[in-house]
C-alpha cells in the first residue's frame, strides 16, 4: 500500500476570492490546512525605487496606487513624512479637509472590504448594498480632485485646492431617464460640503441595513465566529495594527494615541473586540464606519464655518497662485523652479505614520539634501498581516482560508508595492 | 505625560542602558535614532523588547538601505567651469567600488504600552554579501521583512529559517533596489509566437534622466549652522 501523503493545493493567483493576485500554496490533510505558503509579488512595481528617480511631488500619484481602495490615506502618510523633514506647517483648514477625506476614505475602504468579504463567504447582497454608498463617496473624490480613484490631492503643506462650490451633475442618457437623473441631482444641487452633510445624515441608516443582514445572521456567524483567532500577545509579535489588533482587544489607534492633524480636537470612540476572531474584526470595522461618519460630520460643520487658505504660503514648496504669477516675477521663478526641478529637502530622515483603514501606514524617507528621495520605504499594514496567514489558517478548513483572507482585508497594491 | 517628556525620558534611559554599545543617539524631528554595532545587535534588540523602560513589543518595520552614492548630485550647481554652468545631466551609472559601510538595516520599533517609537540602524562594515543576524526570535514579524530586504538588497540574514525571494519574479537575477542596479532593469519579456513561450531578452529601451538630481543647501534649514560648512566646501 502506498504511503499517505499530504495533498498540495494551489490557490490563485487568478481566483475571485484571492482579492487580487494572491497565490497560496496550501498543504492539505483532507480538508484541513496543514501549512499555507503565500506567494506574493505578482503586482510588484518597484514603487520605492521609482520614487528615488523623480522629484518628491511626482511620487504622490504613486501613493494612490499602493492601496488602491484607500487612496488619500496613502498620500497622507507620504506628505506627512515630507512635512516632518522640512518642518512645514499646514493651515488648519487643510488639516480639517485632510481628516475629512481620510475618514471618507476609511468608509470607502471598509465598504469595499465588507462587500467583498460578504461575497466571499456567501452574502451576495452585501456587495450590491456597499457599492451603492461607495458611489456617492467616489463622487466626492471626483468633485475635489477630478478623478474617482487616484486623486493626487494632498500636497506637502496642504491640499491641492479648496473644496468646490458645486457638485458634478448627472446627464440623462439611454440608461438613465430625466426623472431618475433629477432624483440623483437633487442631492447634488448644493456645494460639496452640503452633499457630504446629506450623506452623513443618511449613512447611519445604511449601516443599520448592513447589520440587519449580517450581525445576527446564523450563517454569517457560523462562518466567522472562532475562525482565525489571534491572541493579543501574538498580535503584537506579528506586527498587527489597525482593526486587526483592535479585534484582538488592544485599544491601539494612532488617531487617539499619537494624534496627527486635528484628530485631538475631534470626538470619536475606538471600538475593540474581545475574542480576536473574524466576527470581532467584522464588528470593529462596522463600528468604525459609524465613528468615521461622526468625524466627517464634525469636519463638515467646522469647514462650513471657517474659510481660509488650504496650502502653505511657503512658495519654496507650494506653488503660487496663477494670478500672482501673472504680475510677479518672483512667483514666476518659484513656479518655474518647482515644476522643473522640484524642491530640495534637507538632509535627514523621517518616519511618519497614519492610521490607515487597514492599520499603520508609514513612510520612511531618507533625504541626502536632493530634490529626490534617497530612499523611500513604505510600511504597508497588509504586508505584516498577510505574513501571519500561515499561523491564522493552520488547522482550519479550506473554506475558512477564504474567510481569513477576507478578514485580513488584503490589497495587493500595497503588499507588493 | 506629553510627547516631549516621553521622548526625553526614553533618551535618558537609552544612554543609561547602552552607553557602551550604542555608537550614536540622535534625534531629529522628534524621532530617536540609535546606531548599534553589528555584534551587539541582537542583544540590544532583545533588551529593547524586554526592559520595562523600553518595552518595544512591536517591530513596525525593517528595511535595507544602500548608501552607495549618498550625497552625490548629477548636476553641479555650486561651481561653474570656464564654459559656464553645465546645462544638463549626463547619466552616469553608479559603480560600487568600496563596499565598506555601504549597506545598513533599519528597524522601526513601537511600544504600545509606553507609546513611544525608536529607530535602530546597523551599518554593515564589509562584505558582499552583507550578513546580519536574524531577529526573527525577537519579533516574529521580522520573517517577511527580512525576506524582503534579502530579495531587494541581497542582505543575508544569518539564522533565518526560510530566506527565499519574496517580491521579485521566480528565477529573478540580481537585487533590484541596490543603487547600482539600473532602474530599467536588465531584461525585458515578451511573448514569442515562434517559440510559443515567453522569451527574456536584454532591455531595448534607453535609460534617461528626466529631472537631474540636484543638491542645494538651503539656508532656511540652516538650524544649527551645520549646512554653512558644506556650502563653503562645495564652493571651494
Amino acid at each position: 500500500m502506498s504511503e499517505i501523503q499530504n495533498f498540495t493545493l494551489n490557490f490563485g493567483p487568478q481566483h475571485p476570492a484571492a482579492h487580487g493576485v494572491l497565490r497560496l500554496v496550501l498543504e492539505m490533510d483532507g480538508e484541513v490546512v496543514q501549512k499555507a505558503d503565500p506567494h506574493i509579488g505578482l503586482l510588484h512595481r518597484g514603487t520605492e525605487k521609482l520614487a528615488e528617480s523623480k522629484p518628491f511631488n511626482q511620487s504622490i500619484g504613486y501613493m494612490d496606487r499602493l492601496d488602491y481602495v484607500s487612496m488619500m490615506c496613502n498620500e497622507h502618510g507620504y506628505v506627512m513624512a515630507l512635512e516632518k523633514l522640512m518642518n512645514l506647517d499646514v493651515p488648519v483648514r487643510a488639516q480639517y479637509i485632510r481628516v475629512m477625506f481620510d475618514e471618507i476614505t476609511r468608509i470607502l475602504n471598509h465598504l469595499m472590504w465588507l462587500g467583498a468579504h460578504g461575497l466571499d463567504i456567501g452574502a451576495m447582497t452585501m456587495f450590491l448594498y456597499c457599492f451603492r454608498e461607495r458611489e456617492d463617496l467616489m463622487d466626492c473624490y471626483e468633485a475635489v480632485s477630478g478623478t474617482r480613484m487616484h486623486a493626487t490631492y494632498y500636497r506637502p503643506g496642504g491640499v491641492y485646492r479648496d473644496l468646490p462650490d458645486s457638485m458634478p451633475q448627472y446627464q440623462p442618457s439611454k440608461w438613465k431617464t430625466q426623472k431618475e437623473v433629477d432624483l440623483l441631482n437633487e442631492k447634488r444641487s448644493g456645494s460639496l460640503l452640503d452633499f457630504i452633510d446629506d450623506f452623513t445624515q443618511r449613512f447611519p441608516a445604511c449601516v443599520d441595513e448592513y447589520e440587519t443582514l449580517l450581525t445576527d445572521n446564523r450563517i454569517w456567524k457560523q462562518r466567522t465566529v472562532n475562525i482565525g483567532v489571534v491572541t493579543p500577545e501574538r498580535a503584537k509579535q506579528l506586527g498587527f495594527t489597525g482593526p486587526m489588533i483592535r479585534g484582538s482587544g488592544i485599544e491601539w489607534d494612532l488617531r487617539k494615541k499619537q494624534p496627527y492633524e486635528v484628530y485631538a480636537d475631534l470626538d470619536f470612540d475606538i471600538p475593540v473586540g474581545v475574542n480576536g476572531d473574524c466576527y470581532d474584526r467584522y464588528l470593529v470595522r462596522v463600528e468604525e464606519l459609524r465613528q468615521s461618519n461622526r468625524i466627517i460630520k464634525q469636519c463638515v460643520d467646522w469647514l462650513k464655518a471657517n474659510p481660509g487658505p488650504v496650502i502653505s504660503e511657503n512658495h519654496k514648496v507650494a506653488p503660487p497662485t496663477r494670478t500672482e504669477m501673472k504680475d510677479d516675477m518672483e512667483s514666476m521663478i518659484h513656479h518655474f523652479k518647482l515644476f522643473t526641478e522640484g524642491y530640495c529637502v534637507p538632509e535627514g530622515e523621517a518616519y511618519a505614520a497614519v492610521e490607515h483603514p487597514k492599520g499603520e501606514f508609514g513612510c520612511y524617507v531618507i533625504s541626502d539634501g536632493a530634490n529626490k528621495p534617497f530612499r523611500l520605504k513604505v510600511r504597508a499594514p497588509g504586508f505584516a498581516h498577510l505574513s501571519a496567514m500561515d499561523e491564522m489558517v493552520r488547522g482550519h478548513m479550506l473554506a475558512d482560508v477564504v474567510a481569513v483572507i477576507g478578514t485580513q482585508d488584503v490589497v495587493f497594491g500595497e503588499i507588493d508595492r | 505625560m506629553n510627547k516631549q517628556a516621553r521622548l526625553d525620558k526614553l533618551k535618558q534611559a537609552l544612554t543609561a542602558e547602552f552607553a557602551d554599545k550604542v555608537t550614536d543617539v540622535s534625534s531629529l524631528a522628534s524621532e530617536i535614532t540609535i546606531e548599534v554595532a553589528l555584534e551587539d545587535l541582537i542583544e540590544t534588540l532583545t533588551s529593547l523588547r524586554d526592559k520595562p523602560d523600553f518595552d518595544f513589543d512591536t517591530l513596525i518595520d525593517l528595511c535595507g538601505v544602500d548608501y552607495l552614492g549618498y550625497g552625490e548630485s548629477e548636476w553641479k550647481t555650486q561651481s561653474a567651469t570656464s564654459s559656464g554652468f553645465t546645462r544638463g545631466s549626463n547619466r552616469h551609472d553608479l559603480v560600487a567600488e568600496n563596499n565598506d559601510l555601504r549597506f545598513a538595516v533599519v528597524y522601526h520599533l513601537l511600544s504600545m504600552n509606553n507609546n513611544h517609537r525608536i529607530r535602530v540602524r546597523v551599518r554593515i562594515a564589509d562584505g558582499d554579501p552583507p550578513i546580519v543576524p536574524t531577529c526573527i526570535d525577537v519579533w516574529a514579524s521580522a520573517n517577511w521583512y527580512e525576506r524582503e530586504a534579502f530579495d531587494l538588497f541581497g542582505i543575508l540574514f544569518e539564522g533565518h529559517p526560510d530566506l527565499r525571494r519574496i517580491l521579485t519574479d521566480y528565477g529573478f537575477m540580481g537585487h533590484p533596489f541596490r543603487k547600482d542596479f539600473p532602474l530599467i532593469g536588465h531584461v525585458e519579456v515578451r511573448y514569442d509566437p515562434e517559440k510559443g513561450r515567453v522569451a527574456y531578452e536584454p532591455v531595448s529601451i534607453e535609460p534617461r534622466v528626466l529631472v537631474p538630481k540636484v543638491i542645494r543647501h538651503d539656508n532656511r534649514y540652516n538650524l544649527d549652522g551645520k549646512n554653512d560648512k558644506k556650502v563653503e566646501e562645495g564652493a571651494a
Side-chain angles (χ1 to χ4, degrees):
Chain A
M1 212 176 98
S2 66
E3 215 176 300
I4 295 171
Q5 269 192 328
N6 280 346
F7 182 68
T8 308
L9 185 78
N10 181 57
F11 176 99
Q14 301 294 333
H15 187 285
H19 283 217
V21 286
L22 169 66
R23 183 178 169 214
L24 271 176
V25 179
L26 299 166
E27 217 166 88
M28 310 289 298
D29 177 16
E31 215 184 325
V32 179
V33 179
Q34 298 296 323
K35 193 177 161 230
D37 179 20
H39 286 206
I40 64 168
L42 288 103
L43 203 60
H44 178 61
R45 295 144 295 175
T47 305
E48 294 153 355
K49 177 112 177 165
L50 281 169
E52 286 170 15
S53 71
K54 35 178 74 42
F56 284 96
N57 264 13
Q58 289 185 21
S59 301
I60 301 173
Y62 279 125
M63 296 299 125
D64 290 313
R65 286 150 180 85
L66 288 172
D67 180 354
Y68 45 77
V69 291
S70 25
M71 297 69 76
M72 287 203 199
C73 287
N74 305 339
E75 291 173 23
H76 201 166
Y78 179 66
V79 297
M80 257 173 61
L82 297 184
E83 281 157 9
K84 219 170 175 181
L85 267 174
M86 293 188 284
N87 209 1
L88 198 62
D89 289 327
V90 181
V92 190
R93 188 175 165 85
Q95 296 189 24
Y96 269 96
I97 293 177
R98 282 183 184 181
V99 167
M100 183 174 80
F101 270 97
D102 274 10
E103 296 307 319
I104 286 178
T105 309
R106 195 177 314 277
I107 295 183
L108 268 174
N109 177 81
H110 282 6
L111 286 179
M112 177 74 212
W113 160 80
L114 185 60
H117 189 30
L119 189 67
D120 284 350
I121 47 181
M124 175 85 203
T125 318
M126 286 315 301
F127 198 70
L128 304 173
Y129 277 20
C130 289
F131 269 69
R132 188 184 57 190
E133 270 74 59
R134 258 174 76 84
E135 199 56 33
D136 286 340
L137 296 174
M138 287 286 194
D139 283 353
C140 299
Y141 261 55
E142 187 180 348
V144 86
S145 72
T147 59
R148 285 161 54 83
M149 285 187 80
H150 302 305
T152 328
Y153 179 55
Y154 294 4
R155 294 295 141 86
V159 293
Y160 169 58
R161 62 169 186 182
D162 207 348
L163 303 170
D165 293 328
S166 63
M167 285 290 288
Q169 305 286 308
Y170 278 95
Q171 304 293 330
S173 65
K174 61 180 168 183
W175 297 281
K176 284 195 176 71
T177 63
Q178 185 68 47
K179 216 173 137 195
E180 286 169 322
V181 165
D182 288 344
L183 201 69
L184 282 168
N185 285 343
E186 197 188 308
K187 293 169 202 147
R188 290 168 172 79
S189 52
S191 70
L192 172 65
L193 282 174
D194 294 332
F195 179 74
I196 298 176
D197 199 20
D198 175 65
F199 179 84
T200 58
Q201 306 291 337
R202 59 198 154 87
F203 188 60
C206 300
V207 182
D208 291 341
E209 215 171 48
Y210 312 144
E211 286 215 78
T212 53
L213 280 174
L214 295 180
T215 304
D216 293 321
N217 182 325
R218 200 157 35 104
I219 306 169
W220 183 257
K221 279 187 152 177
Q222 278 169 354
R223 291 301 306 272
T224 54
V225 174
N226 277 331
I227 303 295
V229 180
V230 183
T231 62
E233 297 73 37
R234 209 50 208 157
K236 282 184 178 178
Q237 263 284 314
L238 293 167
F240 280 15
T241 44
M244 293 294 287
I245 200 161
R246 290 196 284 275
S248 296
I250 296 175
E251 199 190 328
W252 178 260
D253 189 315
L254 292 179
R255 294 175 294 170
K256 282 274 190 219
K257 301 285 177 179
Q258 301 177 354
Y260 49 96
E261 310 295 12
V262 289
Y263 277 115
D265 303 334
L266 297 169
D267 186 26
F268 61 100
D269 300 318
I270 303 300
V272 287
V274 179
N275 304 316
D277 57 7
C278 291
Y279 185 68
D280 279 20
R281 287 187 284 268
Y282 154 77
L283 291 178
V284 165
R285 287 191 173 108
V286 168
E287 183 55 31
E288 282 184 20
L289 285 174
R290 295 183 195 277
Q291 296 301 330
S292 293
N293 196 56
R294 266 175 79 190
I295 299 174
I296 295 173
K297 176 72 187 142
Q298 292 167 51
C299 290
V300 168
D301 292 343
W302 192 93
L303 286 166
K304 276 188 172 173
N306 297 280
V310 294
I311 192 157
S312 168
E313 299 280 315
N314 179 355
H315 295 317
K316 302 286 178 206
V317 178
T321 61
R322 300 301 295 188
T323 37
E324 278 175 64
M325 268 170 57
K326 303 284 181 199
D327 48 31
D328 179 15
M329 189 64 196
E330 190 162 335
S331 299
M332 182 81 182
I333 297 170
H334 277 139
H335 180 271
F336 178 74
K337 285 309 267 184
L338 272 174
F339 284 89
T340 52
E341 187 179 293
Y343 46 83
C344 289
V345 166
E347 189 178 347
E349 52 189 349
Y351 175 82
V354 292
E355 185 69 27
H356 183 274
K358 293 179 170 62
E360 176 175 329
F361 179 92
C363 279
Y364 173 46
V365 182
I366 302 179
S367 168
D368 57 352
N371 56 344
K372 305 170 180 183
F374 183 77
R375 166 97 167 104
L376 169 70
K377 173 67 171 48
V378 173
R379 193 271 172 193
F383 189 81
H385 296 159
L386 191 68
S387 70
M389 183 61 145
D390 179 41
E391 207 169 307
M392 283 176 81
V393 298
R394 212 170 264 206
H396 280 305
M397 308 281 264
L398 178 60
D400 299 330
V401 173
V402 176
V404 171
I405 296 174
T407 198
Q408 287 189 343
D409 195 8
V410 290
V411 163
F412 278 86
E414 58 156 11
I415 292 170
D416 291 346
R417 283 160 286 151
Chain B
M1 215 179 347
N2 69 16
K3 201 175 163 189
Q4 193 56 43
R6 277 203 311 269
L7 217 73
D8 291 341
K9 195 175 158 227
L10 175 62
K11 220 169 164 178
Q12 275 173 12
L14 279 169
T15 28
E17 176 78 29
F18 300 120
D20 52 332
K21 287 197 200 102
V22 167
T23 50
D24 184 27
V25 181
S26 59
S27 62
L28 180 86
S30 66
E31 295 175 349
I32 292 185
T33 310
I34 61 172
E35 283 209 17
V36 193
L38 194 59
E39 55 273 15
D40 297 328
L41 178 70
I42 295 304
E43 202 187 321
T44 312
L45 292 179
T46 312
S47 44
L48 280 175
R49 182 192 63 179
D50 294 336
K51 294 265 161 58
D53 275 351
F54 310 127
D55 199 15
F56 288 103
D57 43 18
T58 311
L59 172 72
I60 278 290
D61 191 28
L62 184 161
C63 68
V65 182
D66 178 0
Y67 280 99
L68 181 67
Y70 184 86
E72 284 172 28
S73 53
E74 291 170 329
W75 188 21
K76 301 274 179 290
T77 54
Q78 291 289 345
S79 54
T81 59
S82 56
S83 55
F85 283 99
T86 50
R87 288 288 158 157
S89 154
N90 292 324
R91 193 190 163 76
H92 66 286
D93 288 322
L94 290 165
V95 183
E97 283 168 353
N98 187 0
N99 279 328
D100 272 8
L101 296 176
R102 179 179 163 192
F103 292 100
V105 177
V106 179
Y107 304 78
H108 283 94
L109 313 180
L110 166 72
S111 163
M112 290 191 182
N113 294 329
N114 294 342
N115 195 8
H116 54 211
R117 289 172 188 274
I118 195 173
R119 179 185 302 128
V120 181
R121 188 195 344 264
V122 54
R123 300 289 293 251
I124 305 163
D126 65 323
D128 200 20
I131 301 172
V132 181
T134 178
C135 68
I136 213 165
D137 296 326
V138 192
W139 297 282
S141 55
N143 187 336
W144 275 26
Y145 287 120
E146 290 183 349
R147 278 178 69 187
E148 184 190 319
F150 158 69
D151 188 2
L152 302 179
F153 290 95
I155 299 170
L156 295 180
F157 290 89
E158 207 171 12
H160 191 289
D162 183 27
L163 202 63
R164 284 176 294 154
R165 284 185 179 274
I166 185 163
L167 288 178
T168 51
D169 199 2
Y170 305 111
F172 188 86
M173 306 279 276
H175 300 287
F177 276 34
R178 289 188 171 194
K179 290 281 179 180
D180 51 1
F181 191 96
L183 184 67
I184 54 165
H186 291 303
V187 287
E188 60 186 24
V189 288
R190 68 179 176 90
Y191 179 73
D192 190 331
E194 281 164 24
K195 289 179 191 148
R197 62 177 171 84
V198 170
Y200 287 77
E201 290 160 355
V203 277
S204 58
I205 41 173
E206 284 282 310
R208 55 181 184 154
V209 177
L210 293 178
V211 182
K213 179 179 170 187
V214 176
I215 296 181
R216 291 181 194 278
H217 297 289
D218 196 321
N219 283 325
R220 283 172 304 135
Y221 303 122
N222 193 1
L223 301 172
D224 49 347
K226 212 171 89 187
N227 287 345
D228 266 350
K229 223 170 82 200
K230 279 189 191 137
V231 175
E232 279 161 24
E233 277 166 19

